[in-house]
């Protein structure tokens, strides 16, 4: 029996239906489905480092729209959820929340309890940071991430994500660590992972190397300093000034923003075609202050238009210095250590007393302090030409860091990604063409990133909370590591913890001893685990049956800003490990912008958290706002759209109540497949338009354009309630007889049935509520509407009947409003002049039009030149 509440409401639907869905297993993945029946989604694991924000709600709603559509379209949807809970963001949150600092030199404290004032910033600041061991620190990370994960899941359930909550993972859990270590060891076996001592980008704050994909440029104030280098005469002495020509003068002037690196200078460089400096190539100059003889060399990356056209090469000021150093085979004179300070000992080459005295002024200084001291020394020596010239320039930062990056020499692990291998680079670009991109132009960003790579993927990090690099190294008789012969754990021993586990053939007493072993201290970059989300979710190497049913996956949804990191790194791992693209479709979402059109981010302090909005407007309203954001397009945060979404949900409830209350028990019939076509022209026109809507919404969803599907469905819904329902009310209430009323009831319920299913991916709670009033099971397990069934129901060619009839009714009502009369006032006489085609349609809908407009006499006049109906209204006297 149809059971419609007396006062339907959208309030409380989230708790009611999320519990029912879980209890009934509505979204549970069916492991018996074949690969052809499965639609698998590589769901982004959100970073567990605080709270979710509206950017998360925005993009995850897009994914859920697609998941719900695919499920109704007949696919078995594989939709797991993961939590990205390792790496720097988690460490920083734990440090700030508990007021602790990891000190690896401290012993493990078995009785350590989390600080009781955790989460109280004032109390933490008052007592200061507490130093704890690495193992205690990691335990705190697990405590806090578990709490955050529960909060995240509660919010996702409130939003209505149709995730299978029995299939979750965390990137730091044992299974994920095992998969990540196994994949790394396979990379190592195949020669795709390697370790070298080389210059690497270094974040001083976090004390770790970072990868190229994690960089961002930030505009910072700086200054150009013009400095004089002295040329050497053939007898080995300095030349004095001779002329204004660089080739003939006694000095060579360069401009630099980093004068503090003068002691690290190994050469001067100019473009090989620069005629000003061609005579100098092959000669040498002497560095100011430090008296080190360095060569003048040529390289195509030198910019003749920049500064004086000749630059100093330092080890290392930026990534271009690294390229010059490598390609020109220059020595290393590094002076910046991992703390971001100038090393205590001068580099090779600074041998003169004056040079060593100058260096002592810098030793131990921060980079900023060394810059000030160097400028003072240059000014005193007369080798600073003029005063520093202020500029604003782009400086490279780690995306989560607060201080400019330095380049230091360190031993790190890399995975080959095409940055130094043209053949691999081309193969990875080709993989992009095996995926369908939504929107299509996003593939260009993927290709451009690969083409711009300057090195392989640095995956090791000098941090604590991450997946350990599962290796040990034998120590020689002098106690030095033999890096070239790493000790590898047995697969059955994974996950391996080199800091506490012992390699086969050794015992703990040999740790750190000559002839013994040492464990690798580093962990993997968080992307080195996240790049394996398809392997983790689909059970690679752990669940062969699930793997065969779900991989390669069908869809990767993600933000366009991490194409260079998450998407590309996943493509690398799939190409190297499985010789295929990891998914068929890449669905990219845009950013959420604040009212000033700036990206919302925690670092900018302009994020909006979703909990209050979900409580205020309801999940369907918030989802409505999100679903209006088109694929790949940045969208402004708009609370006004949430209000519209809430009104839409309420209107849908009321329209359903109207239709089902009138239809009564007849609503239980299979309205989507009636036995015979409708006979009323107005009904047929509505159902024909509904069939067109189903085709348009289906086509939009098939190309992942959920926003277009919602837009078309909403437009039709308002036409249905504003036009059709108003026109058919009289007939539906029995004003034209029982048979005519039955036709109206059938059309109302068929339309409601279809609209509820079309809205279901966007408004899952209110549509489930309505469905429960007169249908069994869940609307989210129902089939997607079939346009052919609706076309068969809408017999005859009555297209346009609804629109022209609604237009005439609107004019009649406008006449009453302009006369300041009630809409219930009769219109004694209405004359409509229109084209012959429109008159023929109006003649078919005459009864509904006269009932809705309270029209006494309706005259229809054909006029071949009429482009739109002209309506003349004569109102009656009585209300």
């Amino acid at each position: 029996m149809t059971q419609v509440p007396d006062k339907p409401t959208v309030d409380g639907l989230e708790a009611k239906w999320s519990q029912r869905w879980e209890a009934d297993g509505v979204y549970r993945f069916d492991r018996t489905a074949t690969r052809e029946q499965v639609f698998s989604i590589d769901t982004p694991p959100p970073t567990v480092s605080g709270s979710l924000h509206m950017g998360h709600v925005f993009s995850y709603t897009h994914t859920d729209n697609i998941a719900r559509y695919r499920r109704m379209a007949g696919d078995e949807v594989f939709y797991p959820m993961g939590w990205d809970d390792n790496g720097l963001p988690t460490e920083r949150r734990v440090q700030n929340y508990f007021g602790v600092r990891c000190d690896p030199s401290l012993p493990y404290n078995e009785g350590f309890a989390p600080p009781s004032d955790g989460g109280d910033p004032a109390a933490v600041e008052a007592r200061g940071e507490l130093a704890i061991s690495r193992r205690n620190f990691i335990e705190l990370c697990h405590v806090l991430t578990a709490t955050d994960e529960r909060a995240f899941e509660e919010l996702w359930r409130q939003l209505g994500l149709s995730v299978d909550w029995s299939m979750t993972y965390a990137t730091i859990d044992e299974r994920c660590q095992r998969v990540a270590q196994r994949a790394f060891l396979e990379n190592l076996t195949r020669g795709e992972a390697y370790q070298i001592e080389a210059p690497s980008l270094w974040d001083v704050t976090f004390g770790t190397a970072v990868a190229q994909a994690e960089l961002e440029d930030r505009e910072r104030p700086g200054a150009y300093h013009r400095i004089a280098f002295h040329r050497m005469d053939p007898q080995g002495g300095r030349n004095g000034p001779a002329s204004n020509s660089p080739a003939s003068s006694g000095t060579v002037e360069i401009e630099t923003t980093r004068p503090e690196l003068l002691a690290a200078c190994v050469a001067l460089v100019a473009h090989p075609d620069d005629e000003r400096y061609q005579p100098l190539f092959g000669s040498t100059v002497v560095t100011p202050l430090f008296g080190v003889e360095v060569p003048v060399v040529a390289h195509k990356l030198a910019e003749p238009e920049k500064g004086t056209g000749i630059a100093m090469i330092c080890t290392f000021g930026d990534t271009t210095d690294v390229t010059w150093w490598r390609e020109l085979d220059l020595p290393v004179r590094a002076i910046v250590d991992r703390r971001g300070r100038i090393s205590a000992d001068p580099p090779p080459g600074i041998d003169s007393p004056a040079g060593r005295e100058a260096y002592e002024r810098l030793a131990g200084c921060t980079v900023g302090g060394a810059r000030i001291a160097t400028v003072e020394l240059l000014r005193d020596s007369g080798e600073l030409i003029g005063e520093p010239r202020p500029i604003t320039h782009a400086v490279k930062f780690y995306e989560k860091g607060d201080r400019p990056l330095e380049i230091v020499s360190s031993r790190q692990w890399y995975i080959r990604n095409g940055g130094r291998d043209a053949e691999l680079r081309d193969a990875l670009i080709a993989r992009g063409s095996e995926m369908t991109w939504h929107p299509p132009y996003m593939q260009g960003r993927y290709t451009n990133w690969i083409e711009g790579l300057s090195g392989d993927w640095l995956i090791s990090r000098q941090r604590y909370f991450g997946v350990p690099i599962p290796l040990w190294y034998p120590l020689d008789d002098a106690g030095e590591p033999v890096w070239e012969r790493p000790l590898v754990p047995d697969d059955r021993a994974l996950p391996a913890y080199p800091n506490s586990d012992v390699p086969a053939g050794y015992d703990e007493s040999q740790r750190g001893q000559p002839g013994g072993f040492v464990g690798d201290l580093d962990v993997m970059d968080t992307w080195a685990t996240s790049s394996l989300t398809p392997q983790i979710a689909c059970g690679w190497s752990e669940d062969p049956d699930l793997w065969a049913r779900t991989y390669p996956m069908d869809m990767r949804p993600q933000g366009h800003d991490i194409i260079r990191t998450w998407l590309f790194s996943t493509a690398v791992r799939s190409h190297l490990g499985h010789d295929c693209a990891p998914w068929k479709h890449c669905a990219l979402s845009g950013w959420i912008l604040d009212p000033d059109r700036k990206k919302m981010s925690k670092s900018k302090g302009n994020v909006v958290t979703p909990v209050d909005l979900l409580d205020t407007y309801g999940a369907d309203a918030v989802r409505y706002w999100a679903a209006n954001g088109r694929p790949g397009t940045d969208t402004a945060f708009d609370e006004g759209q949430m209000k519209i979404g809430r009104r839409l949900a309420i209107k849908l409830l009321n329209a359903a109540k109207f239709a089902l209350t009138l239809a009564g028990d007849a609503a239980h019939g299979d309205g989507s497949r009636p036995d015979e076509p409708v006979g009323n022209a107005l009904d047929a026109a509505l159902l024909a338009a509904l069939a067109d809507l189903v085709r348009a919404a289906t086509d939009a969803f098939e190309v992942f354009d959920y926003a277009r599907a919602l837009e078309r469905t909403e437009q039709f819904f308002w036409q249905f309630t504003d036009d059709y329902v108003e026109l058919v009310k009289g007939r539906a209430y029995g004003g034209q007889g029982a048979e005519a009323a039955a036709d109206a009831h059938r059309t109302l319920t068929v339309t409601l049935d279809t609209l509820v299913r079309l809205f279901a991916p966007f408004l899952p709670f209110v549509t489930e509520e309505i469905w429960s009033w007169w249908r069994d099971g869940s609307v989210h397990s129902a089939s997607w509407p079939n346009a052919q069934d609706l076309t068969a129901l809408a017999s005859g060619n009555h297209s346009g009947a609804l629109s022209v009839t609604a237009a005439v009714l609107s004019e009649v009502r406008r006449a009453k409003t302009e006369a300041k009369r009630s809409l219930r006032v009769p219109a004694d006489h209405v004359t409509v002049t229109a084209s012959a085609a429109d008159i023929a349609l109006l003649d078919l809908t005459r009864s509904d039009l006269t009932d809705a407009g309270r029209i006494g006499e309706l005259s229809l006049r054909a006029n071949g030149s009429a482009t739109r109906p002209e309506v003349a209204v004569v109102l009656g006297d009585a209300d």
Side-chain angles (χ1 to χ4, degrees):
M1 297 291 290
T2 302
Q3 297 182 346
V4 181
D6 291 335
K7 296 181 179 180
T9 177
V10 297
D11 296 329
L13 295 183
E14 293 87 353
K16 172 183 177 180
W17 287 111
S18 60
Q19 293 173 10
R20 184 80 61 83
W21 291 333
E22 182 65 23
D24 294 348
V26 172
Y27 308 127
R28 195 67 53 83
F29 176 64
D30 182 1
R31 287 282 299 252
T32 66
T34 65
R35 181 64 191 91
E36 292 71 25
Q37 297 170 320
V38 170
F39 186 87
S40 54
I41 301 174
D42 187 15
T43 320
T47 301
V48 183
S49 58
S51 60
L52 294 165
H53 55 73
M54 289 307 293
H56 292 105
V57 168
F58 182 68
S59 58
Y60 282 78
T61 297
H62 298 169
T63 305
D64 196 59
N65 293 338
I66 300 297
R68 290 181 177 278
Y69 164 73
R70 298 306 315 183
R71 192 179 287 112
M72 296 178 73
D75 291 335
E76 183 60 39
V77 176
F78 177 68
Y79 190 13
M81 177 62 71
W83 312 115
D84 189 7
D85 47 11
N86 75 73
L88 291 172
T90 299
E91 288 189 21
R92 174 178 274 186
R93 172 159 163 72
V94 169
Q95 288 169 350
N96 294 338
Y97 185 89
F98 288 114
V100 296
R101 174 175 53 83
C102 180
D103 184 347
S105 67
L106 293 177
Y108 175 63
N109 181 355
E110 291 188 12
F112 179 76
S116 59
D117 56 4
D120 184 344
V124 168
E125 183 177 3
R127 68 164 161 84
E129 278 191 336
L130 176 66
I132 60 176
S133 73
R134 178 173 182 163
R135 186 173 167 187
N136 289 128
F137 182 80
I138 290 173
E139 288 176 351
L140 279 186
C141 290
H142 283 294
V143 168
L144 196 55
T145 54
T147 301
D148 287 343
E149 286 163 12
R150 287 193 294 271
F152 278 29
E153 181 174 334
E154 289 175 7
L155 189 140
W156 283 152
R157 287 180 181 272
Q158 185 178 0
L159 184 64
L161 297 191
S162 58
V163 164
D164 183 347
W165 289 107
S166 69
M167 307 189 80
T168 59
Y169 64 86
T171 56
I172 201 64
D173 67 29
E174 280 202 6
R175 180 171 70 90
C176 290
Q177 291 194 58
R178 190 162 55 243
V179 170
Q181 290 185 342
R182 184 177 292 128
F184 168 78
L185 293 174
E186 288 198 1
N187 291 136
L188 181 63
T189 299
R190 294 192 298 262
E192 297 150 1
Y194 63 92
Q195 185 188 47
I196 58 170
E197 175 87 21
S200 56
L201 293 157
W202 190 268
D203 185 273
V204 172
T205 302
F206 289 107
T208 184
V210 299
Q212 182 180 350
E214 298 169 304
L215 308 184
E216 65 180 32
D217 287 337
R218 300 180 193 171
E219 290 295 317
R220 288 291 185 271
Y224 270 126
H225 304 76
R226 183 168 288 218
I227 302 171
F229 281 69
H230 301 278
R231 293 187 60 202
M232 300 294 292
D233 64 25
Q235 285 72 43
R238 291 184 178 183
N239 273 327
S243 73
N244 294 326
S245 169
S248 58
S249 70
T251 60
V252 179
E253 296 178 4
I254 63 101
E255 284 194 337
T256 179
T257 59
R258 303 207 61 180
E260 70 276 11
L261 295 182
L262 266 174
C265 179
V266 293
L268 297 189
V269 62
H271 194 278
D273 297 333
D274 193 330
E275 295 180 354
R276 295 172 297 175
Y277 298 106
Q278 284 176 344
L280 295 181
F281 297 147
S283 67
T284 59
V285 293
V286 175
T287 60
L289 302 181
F290 304 106
V292 179
E293 188 175 351
V294 298
V296 181
V297 297
H299 196 280
K300 61 184 178 181
L301 290 182
E303 301 177 62
E305 300 81 14
K306 187 175 181 180
T308 62
I310 189 166
M312 66 174 180
I313 302 175
C314 300
T315 53
F316 297 92
D318 57 23
T319 54
T320 306
D321 277 343
V322 177
T323 301
W324 282 329
W325 165 79
R326 181 181 295 117
E327 295 185 5
L328 296 171
D329 193 23
L330 297 169
V332 175
R333 293 196 181 101
I335 63 170
V336 180
D337 65 19
R338 294 185 178 193
R339 303 170 303 156
R341 293 182 176 272
I342 305 302
S343 301
D345 297 324
I350 301 181
D351 300 321
S352 67
R356 287 183 169 271
E357 182 181 350
Y359 189 85
E360 287 177 4
R361 289 276 301 274
L362 313 180
C365 291
T366 64
V367 167
R371 183 178 302 128
I372 294 171
T374 302
V375 171
E376 291 175 354
L377 288 169
L378 287 168
R379 188 179 284 115
D380 293 343
S381 69
E383 290 161 320
L384 179 68
I385 311 300
E387 287 300 309
R389 178 164 55 90
I391 60 165
T392 299
H393 62 150
V395 179
K396 294 199 179 298
F397 282 74
Y398 172 46
E399 59 189 0
K400 294 179 174 64
D402 303 317
R403 295 169 65 182
L405 290 171
E406 297 295 340
I407 297 179
V408 302
S409 185
S410 58
R411 182 169 290 277
Q412 304 289 345
W413 279 98
Y414 296 81
I415 289 179
R416 303 185 193 280
N417 68 352
R420 297 179 182 173
D421 182 338
E423 184 177 349
L424 177 56
R425 179 172 61 248
D426 293 343
L428 288 167
I429 290 172
R431 289 292 181 207
S433 297
E434 297 175 17
M435 315 168 201
T436 303
W437 297 75
H438 308 281
Y441 67 84
M442 289 293 180
Q443 184 178 357
R445 298 193 184 186
Y446 170 84
T447 301
N448 292 341
W449 171 254
I450 299 174
E451 290 176 340
L453 288 171
S454 59
D456 286 329
W457 176 16
L458 190 157
I459 66 159
S460 48
R461 295 292 182 273
Q462 291 66 54
R463 299 301 300 172
Y464 316 116
F465 192 57
V467 179
I469 291 178
L471 298 173
W472 300 265
Y473 306 96
L475 299 178
D476 62 19
D477 292 341
E480 293 298 322
V482 184
W483 304 111
E484 297 76 20
R485 292 196 291 111
L487 304 171
V488 179
D490 185 273
D491 186 78
R492 292 169 297 181
L494 300 179
Y497 303 98
N499 286 323
S500 56
D501 295 344
V502 176
Y506 295 84
D507 59 51
E508 181 62 33
S509 67
Q510 294 174 281
R511 186 183 297 273
Q513 301 300 313
F517 71 94
V518 64
D520 198 307
L521 297 176
D522 292 349
V523 298
M524 295 186 202
D525 165 29
T526 184
W527 294 114
T529 304
S530 297
S531 63
L532 297 166
T533 51
Q535 289 82 348
I536 292 169
C538 297
W540 170 72
S541 73
E542 302 264 324
D543 189 339
D545 178 74
L546 182 63
W547 177 254
R549 297 176 194 276
T550 55
Y551 189 87
M553 303 187 83
D554 291 277
M555 176 186 178
R556 156 61 73 84
Q558 66 164 72
H560 62 67
D561 54 323
I562 52 174
I563 288 174
R564 73 191 194 282
T565 49
W566 191 35
L567 193 151
F568 173 61
S569 63
T570 310
V572 169
R573 303 304 282 274
S574 183
H575 173 79
L576 296 176
H578 312 292
D579 194 25
C580 66
W583 338 270
K584 298 175 184 176
H585 297 272
C586 302
L588 286 306
S589 59
W591 291 337
I592 289 301
L593 308 177
D594 67 12
D596 295 326
R597 306 296 295 179
K598 295 178 180 177
K599 177 190 175 185
M600 280 192 178
S601 68
K602 292 179 182 178
S603 62
K604 290 184 173 66
N606 62 351
V607 298
V608 176
T609 55
V611 175
D612 290 343
L613 294 170
L614 288 168
D615 291 341
T616 301
Y617 299 110
D620 285 337
V622 174
R623 290 175 64 106
Y624 169 85
W625 158 76
N628 273 282
R630 297 198 177 280
T633 303
D634 296 343
T635 302
F637 173 75
D638 186 356
E639 199 168 336
Q641 272 203 321
M642 296 177 197
K643 297 176 182 178
I644 295 172
R646 184 175 176 86
R647 286 199 296 269
L648 173 62
I650 293 171
K651 184 69 173 181
L652 189 57
L653 281 176
N654 292 332
K657 179 182 179 182
F658 167 76
L660 294 176
T661 301
L662 284 176
D665 293 345
H668 283 284
D670 186 1
S672 63
R673 302 181 185 277
D675 295 332
E676 60 185 33
V678 299
N680 182 281
L682 200 63
D683 298 344
L686 178 75
L687 294 174
L690 186 60
D692 289 340
L693 167 64
V694 170
R695 292 188 189 95
T698 304
D699 290 345
F701 263 121
E702 287 296 319
V703 294
F704 293 66
D705 193 352
Y706 44 82
R708 179 64 173 160
L710 173 59
E711 178 184 55
R712 291 294 301 273
T713 302
E714 185 182 7
Q715 287 174 348
F716 182 94
F717 173 73
W718 289 114
Q719 183 185 26
F720 167 66
T721 56
D722 293 348
D723 296 340
Y724 177 80
V725 169
E726 293 303 315
L727 283 164
V728 82
K729 271 184 179 178
R731 176 157 53 98
Y733 281 119
Q736 298 175 33
E739 186 175 345
D743 285 344
H745 299 163
R746 186 165 57 139
T747 303
L748 283 167
T749 54
V750 167
T751 304
L752 178 65
D753 176 282
T754 304
L755 283 172
V756 167
R757 285 184 283 162
L758 290 174
F759 274 124
F762 310 105
L763 312 174
F765 294 104
V766 71
T767 53
E768 188 74 296
E769 175 71 9
I770 293 168
W771 191 261
S772 72
W773 295 346
W774 98 108
R775 292 280 192 249
D776 294 329
S778 170
V779 66
H780 305 298
S781 301
S783 61
W784 188 249
N786 187 304
Q788 285 185 316
D789 292 342
L790 294 168
T791 300
L793 184 59
S795 66
N797 183 13
H798 302 303
S799 62
L802 176 58
S803 60
V804 70
T805 308
V808 173
L809 177 62
S810 177
E811 288 299 309
V812 172
R813 291 184 164 184
R814 186 168 65 84
K816 294 178 182 182
T817 300
E818 289 179 350
K820 298 183 179 180
R821 306 288 294 280
S822 166
L823 294 180
R824 298 182 62 81
V825 169
D828 286 349
H829 192 92
V830 174
T831 301
V832 181
T833 304
S835 67
D838 284 348
I839 292 299
L841 292 173
L842 288 168
D843 196 39
L844 293 174
T845 61
R846 177 186 293 269
S847 297
D848 289 330
L849 177 58
T850 54
D851 277 355
R854 296 179 174 265
I855 299 171
E857 181 180 354
L858 176 64
S859 299
L860 304 176
R861 298 177 180 177
N863 182 346
S865 62
T867 57
R868 54 176 297 173
E870 296 179 2
V871 183
V873 181
V874 178
L875 298 179
D877 294 329
D879 286 349

